Amino acid sequence: MAVSGLIMLGYLVVHVMGNLKIFFGPDEFNAYGHWLRVVGEPFMHREWVLWIARVVLLTAVVAHAVSAAQLSRRDIKARPVKYVHKRPRASYATRTMRWGGVILALFIVWHILDLTLGTVNPDFQSGHPYENVVASFQRWWSAALYIVAMLAVGLHIRHGFWSAAQTLGAGGKGRDLALRGIANGLALVLTLGFISVPVAVLTGVVS
Ligand code: HEM
């Protein structure tokens, strides 16, 4: 769970940096989209690096989902009788990990259909990611869907990063406060970075 989560977190850090290039205009953003397909050439064939990244990511997603299901089953087995305490003792981010994960998995499918394949984006043009992002977010409900999903991403990272650090033995006296700070900071920066794109299209800053 921890290792696959950190792989995906690494991807999100790179992805948000790439997305922010949209503020430099269509030429720079589309050139970046093109570079993703030719990176590694001439040593690698066209799209090989992209496909390696896709396989690594997909493996991480599957490993993450399988581990989550195994953990859930172990949780239920360990405590077949519910706690008497009804008041939730864990934070909101902790309690929403399972449903948050399911929502994110559904979001990723929608996102690929929207901006990679264009199946659900009527104005999709292959090789023009800038125009595709603008076309998608000019539909208010699409922008709203992404904004809600990005809040779920933020919550998931906030608790997930903290849990991964504990699992991998990075926690301990004196370090927990720093780890919480890093988890909160990462979640906030990534959420704001991702949300800035639909907000910029909705407000006309990016058009
Ligand atoms: C507002 C937020 C986001 C925007 C504007 C955005 C934008 C994009 C764009 C434009 C592409 C297509 C790139 C291309 O084909 O050249 C893409 C691909 C992708 N994005 Fe995002 N993204 C966002 C959030 C996310 C999040 C939160 C995740 C993961 C949870 C994610 C995962 C992916 C994946 C897996 C791909 C497919 C990569 C591929 O196989 O080609 N994105 N995104």
Side-chain angles (χ1 to χ4, degrees):
M1 197 100 228
V3 172
S4 54
L6 289 178
I7 290 173
M8 290 189 282
L9 181 60
Y11 171 75
L12 286 182
V13 171
V14 175
H15 194 30
V16 80
M17 286 165 69
N19 284 356
L20 291 176
K21 287 181 81 98
I22 205 156
F23 291 101
F24 296 108
D27 291 347
E28 196 158 331
F29 194 70
N30 288 344
Y32 163 67
H34 175 72
W35 174 83
L36 286 177
R37 283 154 180 87
V38 296
V39 59
E41 275 184 1
F43 177 64
M44 294 289 211
H45 189 64
R46 194 186 157 87
E47 291 201 354
W48 274 14
V49 172
L50 182 63
W51 273 104
I52 292 169
R54 282 171 173 163
V55 170
V56 171
L57 258 185
L58 190 65
T59 311
V61 170
V62 172
H64 209 66
V66 170
S67 319
Q70 285 172 345
L71 269 178
S72 258
R73 220 174 306 139
R74 217 189 292 169
D75 260 11
I76 294 164
K77 231 177 162 179
R79 178 157 274 283
V81 181
K82 278 195 184 310
Y83 282 110
V84 177
H85 282 276
K86 287 279 185 285
R87 215 152 56 101
R89 284 176 297 175
S91 76
Y92 186 72
T94 311
R95 285 182 284 121
T96 50
M97 284 313 268
R98 271 177 216 165
W99 280 109
V102 173
I103 288 169
L104 289 182
L106 293 174
F107 162 76
I108 293 171
V109 174
W110 176 265
H111 180 44
I112 289 175
L113 292 176
D114 182 26
L115 292 177
T116 300
L117 301 173
T119 325
V120 296
N121 190 343
D123 306 306
F124 186 84
Q125 312 168 52
S126 183
H128 291 266
Y130 182 95
E131 288 75 8
N132 297 335
V133 169
V134 171
S136 176
F137 295 157
Q138 272 173 349
R139 287 186 285 275
W140 70 267
W141 55 266
S142 171
L145 191 145
Y146 273 77
I147 291 171
V148 171
M150 292 315 107
L151 295 175
V153 169
L155 279 177
H156 208 77
I157 291 171
R158 185 172 166 231
H159 179 72
F161 179 83
W162 161 257
S163 291
Q166 301 302 318
T167 304
L168 300 174
K173 259 199 178 152
R175 262 180 294 172
D176 282 2
L177 201 65
L179 281 174
R180 279 214 189 276
I182 297 172
N184 289 344
L186 254 176
L188 192 69
V189 168
L190 284 173
T191 307
L192 291 179
F194 277 124
I195 283 183
S196 69
V197 179
V199 169
V201 175
L202 281 179
T203 53
V205 172
V206 166
S207 60

